[in-house]
Amino acid sequence: MAHILRKANYVGKSLRANGIVEGVSKNITIKDYVNLNGVKFLGKGKVTIGNYFHSGEEITFLTSNHNFRNASAIPYDNTYMIGDIVVENFVWLGHGVIILPGVTLGEGCIVGAGAVVTKSVEPLAIVAGNPAKKIGERNREEFYILKKEGKFH
């Protein structure tokens, strides 16, 4: 865990790193009470992880991609398309999730195992699949009551 503290832009209180965490750089901001159970940060963009984040194993945050549209070479050129990733508070990612550049994961959303998230996810949504699609939603009333009461895990 020392390498995370040393290499990240910022690390908040009570970080738990229970798995292998790779690719940490000054582009990574980790807020309070975060659980990283096996995460890889790839690319040149920024990743901001909010409070009370929980991850499964083998999570990938991909913040850049090669330019392949109107490229000067095939299959892509030397230009990188960079997109920062924002993970708001109380987000939970299942095993093997991949988050692509430019995505924001809204507060309290859940991403099912193996999902590939290509677009931003609204708060409290439950998404799954490749590409990830909304399959449900958390109970809003219950979520906000638990949040107000400070019942966090």
Side-chain angles (χ1 to χ4, degrees):
M1 184 159 61
H3 79 286
I4 299 169
L5 299 172
R6 190 173 59 254
K7 292 182 177 182
N9 174 54
Y10 173 82
V11 176
K13 296 183 280 191
S14 299
L15 171 65
R16 291 185 189 158
N18 302 314
I20 296 171
V21 178
E22 300 177 74
V24 177
S25 71
K26 291 298 178 192
N27 287 338
I28 310 303
T29 298
I30 300 170
K31 297 195 178 168
D32 299 335
Y33 307 103
V34 167
N35 289 278
L36 302 176
N37 294 309
V39 174
K40 186 180 288 189
F41 298 100
L42 299 172
K44 301 174 182 293
K46 295 178 181 177
V47 177
T48 302
I49 297 177
N51 299 322
Y52 297 98
F53 168 79
H54 284 258
S55 79
E57 297 177 8
E58 299 182 28
I59 305 301
T60 302
F61 291 98
L62 182 60
T63 60
S64 60
N65 198 355
H66 294 286
N67 178 43
F68 57 90
R69 297 183 199 272
N70 301 314
S72 59
I74 298 173
Y76 51 81
D77 62 24
N78 292 329
T79 306
Y80 284 94
M81 310 304 290
I82 297 171
D84 297 341
I85 295 172
V86 175
V87 179
E88 295 181 352
N89 299 333
F90 309 107
V91 170
W92 176 23
L93 304 181
H95 179 91
V97 169
I98 300 172
I99 309 296
L100 295 184
V103 166
T104 294
L105 300 175
E107 179 180 62
C109 76
I110 299 171
V111 180
V116 178
V117 184
T118 61
K119 296 179 182 176
S120 293
V121 177
E122 64 188 53
L124 305 180
I126 302 168
V127 300
N130 179 6
K133 291 187 167 87
K134 187 175 178 179
I135 60 168
E137 189 173 286
R138 284 183 178 228
N139 179 313
R140 287 181 182 275
E141 183 178 339
E142 178 182 87
F143 179 87
Y144 290 116
I145 288 170
L146 292 170
K147 182 178 171 182
K148 184 178 179 181
E149 293 174 351
K151 293 185 177 176
F152 313 132
H153 175 64

